[in-house]
Amino acid sequence: MRLNTMQLLISLVFVVSFLADAQEENEVTVEKLEQLPPLAEEFESLSYLERINYLTEHLEQAEGPADEYRLQRELAYQHYFYYETELTAQACQLHPPKDFDIFYRHLCVSVKDAEYEEKLAELIALHEDALELGGTEYATELLSEIGWIQSSNGHIGLAFNSFERALELAKDPAVNWPVLNTVMQNTATLYIMYGDKEYMENGVELHQQVLRRTKELMEEGQIDERMAQNTISLTYFNLGVANTLHLEDYDAALEWFDKVQSDDAGLLKSTLVFSALSAVLLGKNELGANFLDQSLQTTAPDEITARYLNCYQQLIQLKLKQTDSISACNNLHPDTQLEVKLDVYKRMSELEQEELQFQGLKKFYALYLETLEPQLKQSASAVASSAELSRLKLESQLQDELLEKEQLLKEAESKRRETQTRLTYALASIFVLVIIFGLLQLRQKFRQAKRFEKLSKTDMLTGLNNRSYLEHNISKYIDSAVLSNRSEDTNKVAIYLFDIDKFKMINDTYGHEVGDQVLVEFSRRVKSVRRESDILARWGGEEFLLVAKLDDLDDYHGLAERIRTVVSEEEFDLPSGLKVKVSCSIGGTIYPYSPYGDAGVHWNKLIQLADLAMYYGKQHGRNCWTCIDEVTDPEQLETVLQQTLEDSLKQNSVKISSSIK
C-alpha cells in the first residue's frame, strides 16, 4: 500500500514531535533538579569513603538524567572538599557542568590545568552569567578572584578595575559581610604591594578598618566566631608582610606576626618565615634562627608558596652564615606573584657576594623585559582610577628603580669581562669550578624536587602519608603478594581501616582545634606500633589506613590489637591542657583472602572489605578490632560487599576473628 504526500507529511510531523518530546524529557534543567528529593539525612554524617560509596551505589539506581547529574556533581564536590584535585578534575571532564550551574562550573574552572588567559576568560564568563541570573553576591566574589589573578600576573591596572567594579557591586544589600570583607582586604593588599608610601599607608589603614569591623561584628554575634578569627589572623599576617616587604618597619612586623593564631599550616609557615626575616634584618639573629627552625618543621600549602618560602629561608640562612647557596631563589614558580619576584630579586642584587649579586641583577633585568616593560609601555599615560592608586607614580618609580638596576647590570658585566681578561691563565681552573658549582646546583635542585615530592604526598595536619601516596603505592604490595603466592610463599598483605570512635562528639564538645590535636596524637601513637615497611596514611577526616606485609594470621591479629591498645590504654594529654579518653574501631582484611586463589582483585575491594569489618565492630560496642580471615568463595565477593558482614557470617561466606567479647 502506497502513502500519498499528505500522509507522509503527517507521519513526518508526528515523528519530529515525538523526538522533540523525548529530548525535552531527558533535558536536565534547574526546575528538574529542584524537584528532586534531598539526599538521605544520614549522608551528612558519613565519612568521605562512605559518601563516595553511597553516591556510587545510588548512581546505579539513578531515576532519570537529572538525578544522575545531581549525583555526579556531588561526587565532584566531595572529591574537592577532601583535596582530591585530580579526581575532581576527572569528574568535571567526564561529567561537565550545565551552563546554568554556576557553582559547579566555578569548581571545575578552579581545578582545571589552564593557562592564565583561558582561566581568566572562563571566570569572566562565569561572572557575567552570575549577574544575568541575579547572583550579585557570587558575581562580586568572582570579580575579586579575577582581580587577584590579574595582579598576580602583573596586570595591576586591570586588577584595580576589577576591584573597583566589585566594590560597586558590593553596595547591593544582598552582598553579605564576608564577601565585602574579602574585596576590601584584596584592594588594601594591592595598595601595599604596588603603591607609593602614601598608598601603602592607606592600605594599612584599610586592613585595620577590616580588623575593627570584624571584631565589632563578632562581639555583636552577627558573624561566626571561627570565621571571624580566621579573618583576623589573615589580616594580622597581611599587616606583618606589609611592614616587612614594603614599609621596612621590622619591629611593627614582628608585633603583627606575634598576634597571628591559626591552625592553618600554610599561614603558620609563612608567618614563621617572614618573622625570621624581620628578626634577622633587625639584627636579632638568635630570635630569627628560632623562627627559622620552626618554619622548617611546617609544610607549605602549595608548590608556588613552597618555592618562594624556601627562597626566603635560604636568604635568612645566608644572613646567619648557615649556607652560601640561594639556589631556591633561582627556581621560583612561574606563577609566583610579581610582588614576591620583585622583592626577592632586589634582595639578591643587594647581597655582598658578587656572584649572587650578579644572579639577582640578571633575574631583575629578565623580569623587567618579560613583564614590567610591556606593562609600563601599555599604561605610560594612565592615572589612578577611583580605587585610589596613582599608576603614573608607580610606573615612574618602578622604571627609575629598574633602569638603575639595568645600569648596575651593565657595569657588573663590564667588570666581569675585565676580570676574565686579567685571569686568562686561570681559565682552566675557573672552568672546573663552574662545573663543580653546576653539579652542586643540580644536586640541590634534586634534593628540592625530592622535598617537594614528599610534601605532595604528605597530610599537612598529621604528617602521615596522604590518600594520593597510598593509591600510588598500594598496588606494589598487592602485586608482591600475588608473586609470592605463585611461588608457594606464605607472605600476605593486610589492610586495616580504622577511625576514631565518636570523633564528631569530640569536635562538638571541645571544638575543631582540639579535634585536630586528637588527630595528631592518634597518628603519633599508631605510627609508633607500625613497622617502617608499612604504609600508614590518612584516608580522610578521622579515617586512617594501614597496609602491611605479614607472614601469618597471628601477625595479622596481633598488629590490630597493638593499634587498639596503644590508642585506648592511656588518655590523650593534649597541648590545650585537656585530657581526653579516645578509642578506635579497626577493620582488617588479608590478601590473598581465599585458599582457592583470588588474584586480580582490585585493592578498592579489599578496602571495602575492611570497611565492612570496621563497621561490624562499631555495631558491637566499638574499641575493638574485627579481621576478615577468609572469603570462602571468591566468586561471591561482590555479594559479600553488597551486604552487611553479619549476613555474610550467617551464610558462611566469610570467616572472621575479633576482639569483641
Side-chain angles (χ1 to χ4, degrees):
M1 180 174 125
R2 299 177 64 184
L3 296 175
N4 60 33
T5 303
M6 182 59 68
Q7 288 174 319
L8 284 170
L9 286 173
I10 292 172
S11 300
L12 182 60
V13 169
F14 175 78
V15 170
V16 171
S17 175
F18 175 79
L19 291 174
D21 290 343
Q23 182 177 0
E24 183 178 351
E25 182 68 25
N26 290 325
E27 189 69 28
V28 177
T29 64
V30 176
E31 292 76 15
K32 289 183 179 179
L33 288 172
E34 290 176 345
Q35 291 169 5
L36 292 173
L39 299 176
E41 290 184 8
E42 63 268 19
F43 182 77
E44 292 299 323
S45 63
L46 298 177
S47 67
Y48 169 62
L49 181 61
E50 291 171 331
R51 290 185 182 189
I52 299 303
N53 290 338
Y54 173 94
L55 294 169
T56 305
E57 290 171 4
H58 281 71
L59 268 170
E60 296 175 359
Q61 307 163 6
E63 299 179 358
D67 189 26
E68 182 179 357
Y69 176 82
R70 189 260 302 262
L71 293 167
Q72 294 287 9
R73 179 180 63 184
E74 187 61 37
L75 268 173
Y77 275 116
Q78 292 303 320
H79 291 319
Y80 182 77
F81 294 149
Y82 282 84
Y83 308 105
E84 296 291 352
T85 306
E86 290 184 9
L87 293 177
T88 309
Q90 290 173 14
C92 289
Q93 188 174 7
L94 292 173
H95 307 284
K98 301 294 182 183
D99 288 342
F100 63 79
D101 200 343
I102 300 294
F103 297 102
Y104 186 24
R105 282 170 60 190
H106 189 197
L107 174 79
C108 292
V109 172
S110 300
V111 299
K112 186 176 181 181
D113 184 15
E115 295 294 331
Y116 162 69
E117 291 81 4
E118 181 184 351
K119 180 167 264 188
L120 196 64
E122 293 189 21
L123 287 172
I124 291 172
L126 269 174
H127 162 72
E128 293 172 350
D129 289 350
L131 277 180
E132 188 175 339
L133 293 170
T136 306
E137 181 174 278
Y138 199 55
T140 306
E141 286 188 82
L142 286 165
L143 262 183
S144 182
E145 183 177 347
I146 288 167
W148 194 251
I149 292 174
Q150 288 169 328
S151 71
S152 298
N153 283 270
H155 296 91
I156 314 304
L158 293 176
F160 273 101
N161 288 335
S162 296
F163 286 128
E164 182 183 0
R165 284 185 288 142
L167 287 168
E168 284 297 317
L169 286 176
K171 294 177 181 178
D172 191 314
V175 178
N176 63 20
W177 170 83
V179 175
L180 175 59
N181 180 68
T182 299
V183 178
M184 292 291 287
Q185 279 191 314
N186 287 345
T187 305
T189 301
L190 256 66
Y191 284 170
I192 295 167
M193 287 163 61
Y194 301 112
D196 57 17
K197 185 176 181 181
E198 178 184 350
Y199 289 103
M200 289 181 194
E201 292 172 353
N202 194 11
V204 170
E205 175 57 29
L206 280 175
H207 275 310
Q208 291 175 334
Q209 287 180 23
V210 169
L211 275 178
R212 289 193 291 270
R213 184 60 178 153
T214 304
K215 291 177 180 178
E216 288 172 5
L217 292 172
M218 183 175 66
E219 290 170 0
E220 294 169 4
Q222 296 186 36
I223 55 175
D224 177 72
E225 184 175 348
R226 185 178 179 85
M227 179 189 295
Q229 290 294 352
N230 288 339
T231 298
I232 290 169
S233 285
L234 181 58
T235 308
Y236 285 151
F237 172 75
N238 287 337
L239 286 166
V241 170
N243 281 280
T244 303
L245 301 188
H246 304 286
L247 299 176
E248 298 183 356
D249 187 344
Y250 305 120
D251 284 312
L254 287 174
E255 289 179 13
W256 288 118
F257 287 137
D258 188 54
K259 295 180 180 182
V260 175
Q261 294 182 356
S262 176
D263 54 5
D264 182 274
L267 181 60
L268 176 60
K269 184 179 183 71
S270 298
T271 300
L272 290 169
V273 170
F274 287 115
S275 295
L277 180 62
S278 297
V280 168
L281 291 172
L282 280 172
K284 299 179 179 180
N285 289 354
E286 186 175 346
L287 179 62
N290 183 36
F291 283 131
L292 178 64
D293 289 342
Q294 293 180 61
S295 74
L296 293 170
Q297 305 303 316
T298 56
T299 304
D302 56 71
E303 184 180 356
I304 297 174
T305 308
R307 285 201 198 178
Y308 74 69
L309 287 181
N310 192 19
C311 166
Y312 277 114
Q313 286 172 326
Q314 288 187 355
L315 286 169
I316 295 164
Q317 289 172 328
L318 190 69
K319 289 276 187 183
L320 296 173
K321 302 189 184 305
Q322 296 179 0
T323 185
D324 56 2
S325 170
I326 53 169
S327 56
C329 299
N330 292 316
N331 192 32
L332 297 180
H333 193 281
D335 294 335
T336 302
Q337 291 176 0
L338 180 61
E339 171 203 27
V340 173
K341 289 180 179 177
L342 281 169
D343 183 72
V344 166
Y345 299 152
K346 182 178 179 182
R347 292 183 190 279
M348 290 174 65
S349 66
E350 294 172 349
L351 293 172
E352 295 177 0
Q353 296 85 340
E354 183 179 335
E355 183 65 33
L356 300 181
Q357 181 187 96
F358 186 73
Q359 291 174 18
L361 290 168
K362 286 179 65 177
K363 291 286 185 182
F364 218 130
Y365 187 56
L367 180 65
Y368 169 71
L369 292 177
E370 294 168 7
T371 303
L372 296 174
E373 186 179 41
Q375 290 301 312
L376 292 171
K377 288 180 179 179
Q378 289 175 15
S379 55
S381 61
V383 293
S385 66
S386 56
E388 304 178 9
L389 182 69
S390 171
R391 290 275 297 174
L392 193 58
K393 288 182 181 179
L394 169 63
E395 290 164 2
S396 176
Q397 197 173 36
L398 283 175
Q399 194 169 24
D400 288 346
E401 186 174 12
L402 290 167
L403 288 173
E404 181 183 348
K405 298 299 179 183
E406 184 180 359
Q407 183 61 35
L408 287 173
L409 179 63
K410 290 178 179 178
E411 291 175 3
E413 183 63 34
S414 175
K415 182 179 178 181
R416 191 181 184 87
R417 285 198 299 267
E418 182 181 347
T419 302
Q420 287 176 342
T421 302
R422 293 174 183 172
L423 300 177
T424 302
Y425 295 106
L427 280 176
S429 300
I430 292 173
F431 181 71
V432 172
L433 289 174
V434 168
I435 291 176
I436 294 173
F437 182 74
L439 290 173
L440 289 174
Q441 279 194 315
L442 288 173
R443 183 182 179 188
Q444 181 68 14
K445 288 179 179 178
F446 178 78
R447 289 178 176 175
Q448 288 294 96
K450 285 292 184 182
R451 188 176 294 115
F452 291 142
E453 181 182 4
K454 180 180 179 182
L455 289 175
S456 70
K457 297 176 181 178
T458 303
D459 177 67
M460 287 192 295
L461 177 64
T462 63
L464 300 179
N465 296 129
N466 61 17
R467 183 188 182 118
S468 174
Y469 176 86
L470 185 136
E471 289 178 345
H472 281 86
N473 288 274
I474 190 172
S475 296
K476 299 175 185 176
Y477 281 65
I478 303 299
D479 293 344
S480 174
V482 171
L483 291 173
S484 66
N485 194 41
R486 288 174 181 171
S487 62
E488 299 182 357
D489 232 338
T490 58
N491 291 341
K492 293 178 179 290
V493 172
I495 296 176
Y496 305 91
L497 182 66
F498 45 95
D499 72 359
I500 300 172
D501 294 330
K502 299 182 179 179
F503 182 73
K504 186 176 184 298
M505 184 182 297
I506 294 174
N507 271 337
D508 292 344
T509 304
Y510 303 109
H512 289 279
E513 184 175 353
V514 170
D516 286 348
Q517 292 175 3
V518 169
L519 288 170
V520 171
E521 174 61 15
F522 181 87
S523 304
R524 186 193 67 78
R525 292 193 182 193
V526 176
K527 191 175 180 180
S528 71
V529 298
R530 69 98 163 93
R531 299 168 305 181
E532 286 297 321
S533 60
D534 300 340
I535 300 178
L536 176 59
R538 186 178 179 191
W539 188 243
E542 71 273 22
E543 285 191 330
F544 297 78
L545 204 68
L546 177 67
V547 182
K549 292 181 181 179
L550 303 174
D551 294 328
D552 52 43
L553 287 177
D554 288 339
D555 283 346
Y556 177 35
H557 303 151
L559 182 52
E561 177 59 19
R562 288 199 298 277
I563 295 171
R564 187 198 68 79
T565 303
V566 78
V567 171
S568 61
E569 64 182 349
E570 293 182 5
E571 289 183 321
F572 280 30
D573 192 359
L574 303 177
S576 59
L578 288 171
K579 289 191 176 183
V580 181
K581 185 68 177 174
V582 177
S583 65
C584 67
S585 299
I586 306 160
T589 186
I590 197 163
Y591 183 88
Y593 52 75
S594 166
Y596 305 106
D598 39 34
V601 67
H602 195 274
W603 54 263
N604 263 329
K605 304 292 185 183
L606 301 176
I607 293 177
Q608 291 179 48
L609 282 172
D611 192 50
L612 287 173
M614 182 179 73
Y615 277 90
Y616 177 88
K618 285 190 175 293
Q619 292 166 358
H620 289 79
R622 299 185 174 86
N623 191 21
C624 62
W625 55 266
T626 302
C627 290
I628 297 177
D629 298 335
E630 182 180 333
V631 176
T632 55
D633 184 357
E635 293 183 359
Q636 296 299 315
L637 176 60
E638 289 300 327
T639 302
V640 170
L641 293 175
Q642 291 172 10
Q643 62 188 14
T644 65
L645 191 58
E646 199 115 26
D647 290 338
S648 296
L649 286 168
K650 291 176 183 177
Q651 298 165 8
N652 200 29
S653 300
V654 297
K655 295 180 181 179
I656 70 168
S657 298
S658 179
S659 64
I660 300 170
K661 297 179 181 178

mmCIF file of all heavy atoms in Angstrom, residues 2 220 227 315 328 352 388 438 458 544:
data_model
loop_
_atom_site.group_PDB
_atom_site.id
_atom_site.type_symbol
_atom_site.label_atom_id
_atom_site.label_comp_id
_atom_site.label_asym_id
_atom_site.label_seq_id
_atom_site.Cartn_x
_atom_site.Cartn_y
_atom_site.Cartn_z
ATOM 1 N N ARG A 2 0.606 2.218 -0.895
ATOM 2 C CA ARG A 2 1.447 3.389 -1.024
ATOM 3 C C ARG A 2 0.835 4.566 -0.286
ATOM 4 O O ARG A 2 -0.377 4.785 -0.327
ATOM 5 C CB ARG A 2 1.627 3.749 -2.503
ATOM 6 C CG ARG A 2 2.293 2.625 -3.299
ATOM 7 C CD ARG A 2 2.388 2.969 -4.751
ATOM 8 N NE ARG A 2 3.234 4.119 -4.939
ATOM 9 C CZ ARG A 2 3.429 4.694 -6.142
ATOM 10 N NH1 ARG A 2 2.820 4.228 -7.216
ATOM 11 N NH2 ARG A 2 4.218 5.736 -6.228
ATOM 12 N N GLU A 220 29.116 41.454 68.512
ATOM 13 C CA GLU A 220 27.664 41.595 68.404
ATOM 14 C C GLU A 220 26.981 40.283 68.041
ATOM 15 O O GLU A 220 25.752 40.207 68.001
ATOM 16 C CB GLU A 220 27.334 42.652 67.344
ATOM 17 C CG GLU A 220 27.778 44.062 67.723
ATOM 18 C CD GLU A 220 27.686 45.031 66.545
ATOM 19 O OE1 GLU A 220 27.200 44.602 65.473
ATOM 20 O OE2 GLU A 220 28.078 46.198 66.708
ATOM 21 N N MET A 227 34.996 31.931 61.799
ATOM 22 C CA MET A 227 35.245 32.670 60.565
ATOM 23 C C MET A 227 35.903 34.010 60.885
ATOM 24 O O MET A 227 36.843 34.436 60.206
ATOM 25 C CB MET A 227 33.931 32.903 59.811
ATOM 26 C CG MET A 227 34.092 33.688 58.519
ATOM 27 S SD MET A 227 32.501 34.170 57.807
ATOM 28 C CE MET A 227 31.827 32.560 57.419
ATOM 29 N N LEU A 315 67.765 32.815 52.023
ATOM 30 C CA LEU A 315 68.284 34.173 52.214
ATOM 31 C C LEU A 315 68.561 34.440 53.695
ATOM 32 O O LEU A 315 69.556 35.076 54.058
ATOM 33 C CB LEU A 315 67.281 35.201 51.679
ATOM 34 C CG LEU A 315 67.188 35.323 50.148
ATOM 35 C CD1 LEU A 315 65.991 36.164 49.749
ATOM 36 C CD2 LEU A 315 68.464 35.914 49.569
ATOM 37 N N ALA A 328 67.312 28.122 45.626
ATOM 38 C CA ALA A 328 65.848 28.144 45.547
ATOM 39 C C ALA A 328 65.343 29.445 44.938
ATOM 40 O O ALA A 328 64.281 29.479 44.312
ATOM 41 C CB ALA A 328 65.252 27.950 46.939
ATOM 42 N N GLU A 352 76.215 40.922 49.344
ATOM 43 C CA GLU A 352 77.645 41.236 49.286
ATOM 44 C C GLU A 352 78.387 40.319 48.318
ATOM 45 O O GLU A 352 79.356 40.730 47.679
ATOM 46 C CB GLU A 352 78.258 41.117 50.686
ATOM 47 C CG GLU A 352 77.715 42.135 51.683
ATOM 48 C CD GLU A 352 78.312 41.930 53.064
ATOM 49 O OE1 GLU A 352 79.130 40.992 53.215
ATOM 50 O OE2 GLU A 352 77.968 42.698 53.977
ATOM 51 N N GLU A 388 42.018 54.668 43.984
ATOM 52 C CA GLU A 388 42.956 55.457 44.781
ATOM 53 C C GLU A 388 44.435 55.166 44.552
ATOM 54 O O GLU A 388 45.266 55.493 45.380
ATOM 55 C CB GLU A 388 42.645 55.322 46.291
ATOM 56 C CG GLU A 388 41.238 55.705 46.651
ATOM 57 C CD GLU A 388 40.972 55.507 48.126
ATOM 58 O OE1 GLU A 388 41.897 55.242 48.898
ATOM 59 O OE2 GLU A 388 39.812 55.629 48.499
ATOM 60 N N GLY A 438 77.919 23.952 39.063
ATOM 61 C CA GLY A 438 76.717 23.466 38.379
ATOM 62 C C GLY A 438 76.237 22.142 38.932
ATOM 63 O O GLY A 438 75.039 21.926 39.119
ATOM 64 N N THR A 458 52.143 14.071 51.515
ATOM 65 C CA THR A 458 52.040 14.087 52.971
ATOM 66 C C THR A 458 50.812 14.859 53.421
ATOM 67 O O THR A 458 50.499 15.914 52.872
ATOM 68 C CB THR A 458 53.303 14.722 53.588
ATOM 69 O OG1 THR A 458 54.449 13.990 53.139
ATOM 70 C CG2 THR A 458 53.246 14.679 55.103
ATOM 71 N N PHE A 544 41.788 6.298 58.902
ATOM 72 C CA PHE A 544 43.184 6.018 58.580
ATOM 73 C C PHE A 544 43.288 4.624 57.969
ATOM 74 O O PHE A 544 42.431 3.762 58.203
ATOM 75 C CB PHE A 544 44.046 6.094 59.848
ATOM 76 C CG PHE A 544 44.063 7.453 60.473
ATOM 77 C CD1 PHE A 544 42.992 7.890 61.242
ATOM 78 C CD2 PHE A 544 45.133 8.310 60.291
ATOM 79 C CE1 PHE A 544 43.003 9.148 61.811
ATOM 80 C CE2 PHE A 544 45.150 9.567 60.861
ATOM 81 C CZ PHE A 544 44.075 9.986 61.617
#
